[in-house]
Amino acid sequence: MPQPTPRMTLVLGGARSGKSAYAEGLIQACPGPWLYLATAQAFDDEMVARIAQHRARRGDAWRTRDVPLALPEAVAASEGPVLVDCLTLWLTNLILAEADVAEATERLLAACADARGPLVLVGNEVGLGIVPDNALARRFRDAAGRLHQQLAARADRVVLTVAGLPLIVKPQAPHTQAPRTGAPT
């Protein structure tokens, strides 16, 4: 018997690891309509092309909403299956806008806890490399690590994608809820 779609899944991976395509498949396993909350901003031609590629792969069955900063509000207002892609671009947008990252993170955590449908969140795992040589990059890496830890503690399932393969880091426990507490380091 197939397991039901978890309430919240966190999908992490490196660049071009297959995390977005995997996350899209998780949402498409749910009855539609499917909502894609996009956090990317197209500041150059290469990013315009990446965004177009993602949209083309998803097709017309998806509703897309661009939320470079207002991600918590979009999650809170959503109904049905939702894919957030991606958390680390959202953090980048917050940092560059000089927003309060801790406060925005708390709002996102609250919105995720109250989500009314299956929620799949995608983020880049950026903490596996060297320590960045500048304060801004270290601040970003640390914020991403904290956000991912907080979401992973609350998620029903956590998946790490490597070379297009999903590795289940936190399996969905049958008939249990994910813990709602835990302080990330």
Side-chain angles (χ1 to χ4, degrees), residues 11 23 53 55 62 74 86 97 107 130 160 175-176 182:
V11 178
Q53 180 184 28
R55 284 183 190 255
W62 287 81
C86 94
R107 289 188 294 113
I130 62 172
L160 177 66
H175 308 294
T176 62

Side-chain angles (χ1 to χ4, degrees), residues 139-162:
R139 179 176 170 220
F140 167 75
R141 187 236 15 228
D142 292 351
R146 281 190 296 273
L147 175 63
H148 292 159
Q149 286 184 50
Q150 290 173 305
L151 287 167
R154 291 160 173 81
D156 300 299
R157 178 174 53 192
V158 178
V159 179
L160 177 66
T161 57
V162 178

Side-chain angles (χ1 to χ4, degrees), residues 129-139 141:
I130 62 172
V131 175
D133 69 348
N134 66 77
L136 179 60
R138 287 189 299 274
R139 179 176 170 220
R141 187 236 15 228

